Amino acid sequence: MTPPSDPADTSEGAAPHKKFPDFVPPTRVHYEDGKPQTIRLRKCKLVYTPEPGARGGGRAREWSFDQGTITIGAMDDNDLVLHDETVSRYHCRIVQEASGYALVDLASTNGTFINRVRIKEGFLKPGCTIGLGKTELKFYAGEEKVEIVPSKKDRCGDIIGRNARMRELYAIIEKIAPTSTTVVIEGETGTGKEVVAQTVHKLSPRAEGPMMVFDCGAVPANLMESELFGHEKGSFTGAIMTRQGIFEMAHGGTLFLDELGELSIDLQPKLLRALEQREIKRVGSNKPIKVDVRVIAATNRNLEDEVRAGRFRQDLFYRLSVVRLFLSPLRERVEDIPFLVKHFLKTHHYNMVPGEGGASEPRVHGMTRDAMDLLCQYQWPGNVRELVNVIERAVSFAEGTEIAVSDLPDQLRQQGLGPAGRGAAAAPPVGGGGADAPTVGVDATFKDAKEKWISAFERDYLLQLLKKNNGNISHAAREADIDRKYFRKLMRKYGIEGGPTGDDDDE
């Protein structure tokens, strides 16, 4: 027999590593003080060790995988290619489940074995032997601890933003997208939860499969179960034919459950079963149907509060909360607004007009400084969705190639009106500009006045960040996206003492 070959081959004669235990928790993101710190990434390893004196010789090899599905066979497009005449072209696959790994035979000619017992589908225990034809592989499972370092990119798939929290989100998505891990996306209305779900799907091995969207808040309660799981003909009044549910339609792909907090308490046990068993039952049927679906859920509610209030099942909450992604509201990442506006004007259809050669090109290319200042001062209760609508409206009103203040909606323009009715928007200090805000007299030079305002802003900003992070300088510097040494230098400049946690050599 010729030993397996694979470009991911990394070592010779490697023995099972001690970090591969009997039980492997699923991929999880560890949060500290509301900020992501590490990802515990579930991985598995396959080890080939040739028998002494075996024909063809060969050396020991091992392969590590962290994706949700691993295909094994003789064809070159498998994740692991085995050059063995007794192995089928597509012999079997290993699938990540919530409780471990499952081995599935793909109707192979010579069968698939676990510890020399032939199986059609079975769970893999770390240390067991997988038999494929004449080839035997040892299976091990474990986890890898990955520190979350903000990405240097300003976008990830369809998500756009340069804010430090957004770049932390990119780093998490890039790690968890290739897995089959269930994801819950939390954030206010309009923050882009569906865009995040689409990005996770596009970066996953399921990208070629369907992505189905189900809005739990848009379906009447009496139709919810049928829409999710399907129904048999005659199962209720009006069921004139058998119908697939959204779970079956998403088979081989991703199911995005939007507004999960709206799901009725009666249906939550059935959703839990679908997640744990990967099978559903249509309304009016007792026959289980296997489904291969990755579930991504989104909610603008606090699920922990919902659990405490008895409106959401605790066991379903824990099952869903394998990986939780938190999207910041737009008002907390104001620096992304100019970047988002530029992207909308460049790509959205409402700003496109025919150009030379028939190609479309933007009609409006930017906006005035005063208009951009107003956008950055606004609180954006509707977040990115509201920003898209504001830009679309402004483009329709704009007479030139730039959006002016007069093109913006009334609620944005009115915030810039002073007591005398001036239309210019005066930018308030970040700290709120209350009683402690500096008063700049008209006798001060522009340079002196500017330095006075900047100093007040810097001191107020540092104090608020330290208060928010309980005096932890490392966390405050990370949130501000500046170097910790520079953060300390600014503290010394303004005579700010460390918070209640004192020094912060916890990194």
Side-chain angles (χ1 to χ4, degrees), residues 185 202 218 223 271 367 416 475:
I185 308 168
K202 290 178 181 178
L223 296 178
L271 176 59
M367 63 193 328
H475 292 176

Side-chain angles (χ1 to χ4, degrees), residues 81-115:
V81 180
L82 301 179
H83 295 302
D84 179 351
E85 66 276 7
T86 63
V87 171
S88 299
R89 291 179 300 170
Y90 300 100
H91 198 101
C92 64
R93 67 169 175 256
I94 298 173
V95 182
Q96 271 195 27
E97 299 284 354
S99 56
Y101 289 86
L103 180 65
V104 182
D105 180 71
L106 301 178
S108 62
T109 301
N110 295 311
T112 301
F113 299 78
I114 297 178
N115 290 336

Side-chain angles (χ1 to χ4, degrees), residues 448-502:
D448 291 339
K450 180 180 178 182
E451 288 180 355
K452 190 173 182 180
W453 276 98
I454 289 176
S455 296
F457 155 76
E458 288 182 343
R459 187 176 188 279
D460 190 38
Y461 182 73
L462 296 179
L463 287 170
Q464 289 194 51
L465 269 183
L466 287 168
K467 181 179 179 181
K468 180 179 179 181
N469 289 278
N470 296 320
N472 190 302
I473 299 171
S474 295
H475 292 176
R478 189 182 298 118
E479 185 169 341
D481 198 22
I482 61 177
D483 184 79
R484 184 174 59 174
K485 292 181 180 178
Y486 182 64
F487 195 98
R488 289 180 179 278
K489 181 179 178 181
L490 289 174
M491 288 177 63
R492 288 194 295 270
K493 176 180 177 181
Y494 297 111
I496 299 174
E497 299 292 335
T501 60

Side-chain angles (χ1 to χ4, degrees), residues 388-398 406-410 413:
V388 172
N389 294 336
V390 165
I391 298 304
E392 182 174 1
R393 176 196 185 279
V395 166
S396 66
F397 277 83
S406 58
D407 301 321
L408 297 177
D410 290 343
R413 287 187 284 115

Side-chain angles (χ1 to χ4, degrees), residues 261 263-265 268 301 305-313:
L263 191 66
S264 69
I265 194 74
Q268 291 175 22
R301 296 189 182 187
D305 291 343
E306 295 295 299
V307 169
R308 285 190 287 268
R311 292 187 293 266
F312 203 85
R313 289 177 62 104

Side-chain angles (χ1 to χ4, degrees), residues 68-69 95-96 177-181 200-211 250-255 278 291-295:
T69 303
V95 182
Q96 271 195 27
T179 73
S180 59
T181 300
V200 172
H201 173 72
K202 290 178 181 178
L203 296 180
S204 76
R206 300 173 179 267
E208 299 301 319
M211 178 174 176
H251 182 76
T254 302
L255 173 57
R278 297 295 170 179
V291 288
D292 175 21
V293 174
R294 179 185 195 164
V295 173

